[in-house]
Amino acid sequence: MSPFKQKEKTAYKTQVARNANMAKFQAAYIFPEIARRRDAHLQKYPDAQVISLGHGDTTEPIPEVITSAMEKRSQALSTLEGYSGYGPAQGEKPLRAAIASTFYDNLGIEEDDIFVSDGAKCDISRLQLVFGSNVTMAVQSPSYPAYVQSSVVMGQTAQYQKDVEKFGNIEYMTCTPENGFFPDLRKVARTDTIFFCSPNNPTGSAATREQLTQLVQFAKDNGSIIVYDSAYAMYMSDDNPRSIFEIPGAREVAIETSSFSKYAGFTGVRLGWTAVPKQLLFSDGFPVAKDFNHIVCTCFSGASNIAQAGGLACLSPEGIKAMHDVISFYKENAGILVDTFESLGFKVYGGKNAPYVWIHFPGRSSWDVFNEILEKIHVVTIPGIGFGPGGEGFIRVSAFGHRRNVLEASERFKQLYK
């Protein structure tokens, strides 16, 4: 072989070292991995009618009262009078005010505590930038993977420990049926930040007022900051807090992030918010909100003005009713799935206060169950281990789906596990 041809085969490499934190990841982020396996399944079975109840992506149309407001704002951009360019990075004033009055009325959260964004997931990473690499974090196990993944990228963690399927330097707060999916805080070590989601993704459980009071007191006793994810609060059926700020003292120890994604079908539109109270201070007395504002202004140019018009329409009386109608539809789907698995003798959790159903397969690998369901009945779910070590032995089934697909999937589950 000539030297020229040999040289052609040698890939050029820069002199830039790879971020060592990225090398800590042992596997792909769970949702792209699920999509990869789904695509491979379709290659193997090209005629299969695959039903996806895995990734929590909404499926029903956005209500017209909301899209019409976005259409109007979009059309206005074609006129001199209606055109607008960059807006405030923190969000437009009317939307910030509407979020504060709708979700935090009488809770001490004001318009200027609200930062409008392109979604809660994005704000989780922005918050991690605020905290930096030298903090320690606690997280529910199981929980939404973005909390841990963003912590790894920031360099907050040690290496991945494959034998226990955990990253070092993270406090995993085990949440199981035995403890009502709320961690025994007496066994939780002190950390700087505590990521907590209620209603929870993936378990569908919701923390009670008493439990959240314990959590706030735990944070106060330890000088920690709670990052509270309330993205499913409008799905709550039980009389549990919709916001961490319903708990006295929470404004001194908590941040809340949320989203229009699962309320209004904005998973593609992209619109959310984070509330950072003025009372929340770092150890040196500096307001957390000021640093978050700096990060927002540095990393973000503000949510789309068209999306914000849709968000404002969501919070009109007609928009709120329309969102509740969409949520009711998904909760009916969840009820169908709960009934299906309970009729088959499974222990089933969730589905009442969240659009997720959490099914126990004792003694089995969750990836094995995922593969069995996909291979035999062509339904996509999510293996519980994808949400952390506390998810092993479970699968998550999403209620986001067209009704005909949910009913068909239920019949297939019955055929498989009867």
Side-chain angles (χ1 to χ4, degrees):
M1 182 179 291
S2 72
F4 179 75
K5 288 185 177 180
Q6 180 66 40
K7 191 174 181 180
E8 277 187 323
K9 291 186 176 182
T10 303
Y12 173 78
K13 294 184 291 187
T14 71
Q15 296 182 38
V16 179
R18 184 186 181 198
N19 181 344
N21 296 314
M22 298 302 296
K24 294 176 185 176
F25 291 113
Q26 299 295 301
Y29 189 59
I30 184 66
F31 301 117
E33 175 61 17
I34 295 297
R36 186 193 68 77
R37 294 188 183 216
R38 179 184 182 275
D39 291 344
H41 183 77
L42 283 170
Q43 288 285 327
K44 184 177 179 181
Y45 302 104
D47 297 326
Q49 298 298 309
V50 174
I51 297 173
S52 181
L53 299 179
H55 195 188
D57 193 3
T58 50
T59 58
E60 302 311 294
I62 298 172
E64 195 273 337
V65 65
I66 299 167
T67 55
S68 62
M70 291 192 285
E71 179 184 17
K72 183 177 179 181
R73 184 68 177 269
S74 176
Q75 292 293 338
L77 293 174
S78 297
T79 69
L80 284 173
E81 300 78 16
Y83 177 77
S84 61
Y86 290 124
Q90 305 84 355
E92 295 176 354
K93 185 179 177 69
L95 179 56
R96 297 174 80 188
I99 290 170
S101 62
T102 301
F103 295 103
Y104 306 107
D105 189 34
N106 296 320
L107 298 181
I109 298 298
E110 300 172 340
E111 169 192 320
D112 58 353
D113 296 325
I114 303 296
F115 295 80
V116 176
S117 72
D118 50 347
K121 183 178 184 180
C122 304
D123 275 348
I124 288 162
S125 290
R126 293 182 188 116
L127 287 167
Q128 294 282 33
L129 286 173
V130 171
F131 298 136
S133 60
N134 294 323
V135 298
T136 54
M137 66 102 76
V139 65
Q140 291 158 293
S141 180
S143 67
Y144 182 48
Y147 313 138
V148 169
Q149 299 266 326
S150 58
S151 178
V152 174
V153 171
M154 281 302 301
Q156 297 171 4
T157 74
Q159 295 296 326
Y160 185 73
Q161 301 164 2
K162 193 166 180 60
D163 56 332
V164 290
E165 297 185 309
K166 296 179 179 181
F167 284 96
N169 209 37
I170 289 182
E171 181 71 12
Y172 289 84
M173 303 184 294
T174 302
C175 298
T176 65
E178 289 72 31
N179 63 18
F181 295 105
F182 186 82
D184 183 348
L185 297 176
R186 297 169 301 179
K187 299 178 180 178
V188 175
R190 189 260 169 205
T191 59
D192 295 309
T193 62
I194 303 167
F195 283 77
F196 197 91
C197 178
S198 180
N200 179 262
N201 174 17
T203 67
S205 61
T208 66
R209 190 170 303 276
E210 180 183 359
Q211 289 171 334
L212 290 181
T213 300
Q214 292 174 23
L215 182 65
V216 167
Q217 189 59 52
F218 179 78
K220 281 198 167 186
D221 291 343
N222 287 287
S224 305
I225 294 176
I226 300 166
V227 178
Y228 189 81
D229 186 342
S230 65
Y232 301 96
M234 286 183 70
Y235 283 80
M236 195 85 73
S237 295
D238 293 338
D239 185 25
N240 297 321
R242 270 71 172 166
S243 168
I244 191 66
F245 300 122
E246 293 182 40
I247 307 302
R251 285 181 295 162
E252 297 172 350
V253 294
I255 293 165
E256 183 166 300
T257 188
S258 196
S259 170
F260 288 97
S261 287
K262 308 303 167 64
Y263 301 162
F266 271 29
T267 50
V269 173
R270 307 306 307 151
L271 193 68
W273 71 90
T274 291
V276 188
K278 300 175 187 65
Q279 295 85 348
L280 183 65
L281 308 176
F282 286 115
S283 60
D284 63 357
F286 195 82
V288 175
K290 286 191 176 182
D291 275 356
F292 188 61
N293 183 66
H294 196 127
I295 291 294
V296 167
C297 293
T298 301
C299 302
F300 188 51
S301 293
S304 157
N305 46 22
I306 297 169
Q308 291 189 72
L312 196 57
C314 286
L315 302 181
S316 68
E318 299 82 5
I320 290 171
K321 180 185 181 302
M323 288 194 296
H324 278 296
D325 288 344
V326 172
I327 289 166
S328 294
F329 175 86
Y330 291 129
K331 289 178 74 171
E332 288 171 6
N333 280 354
I336 292 168
L337 293 166
V338 168
D339 290 346
T340 295
F341 283 100
E342 285 185 340
S343 73
L344 294 167
F346 288 97
K347 288 285 188 182
V348 184
Y349 307 93
K352 183 179 181 184
N353 296 307
Y356 301 120
V357 181
W358 190 239
I359 304 110
H360 196 194
F361 287 78
R364 296 197 61 189
S365 154
S366 56
W367 272 119
D368 286 349
V369 176
F370 167 87
N371 289 329
E372 174 181 78
I373 291 172
L374 182 59
E375 181 72 21
K376 293 184 177 179
I377 60 171
H378 311 302
V379 176
V380 177
T381 58
I382 301 285
I385 192 64
F387 300 97
E392 184 58 293
F394 292 83
I395 61 162
R396 192 196 77 177
V397 181
S398 170
F400 294 119
H402 302 311
R403 182 61 50 81
R404 66 180 182 277
N405 287 344
V406 171
L407 291 170
E408 171 63 22
S410 294
E411 288 305 311
R412 295 185 192 179
F413 286 128
K414 290 175 182 175
Q415 289 298 314
L416 179 59
Y417 292 117
K418 64 182 179 180

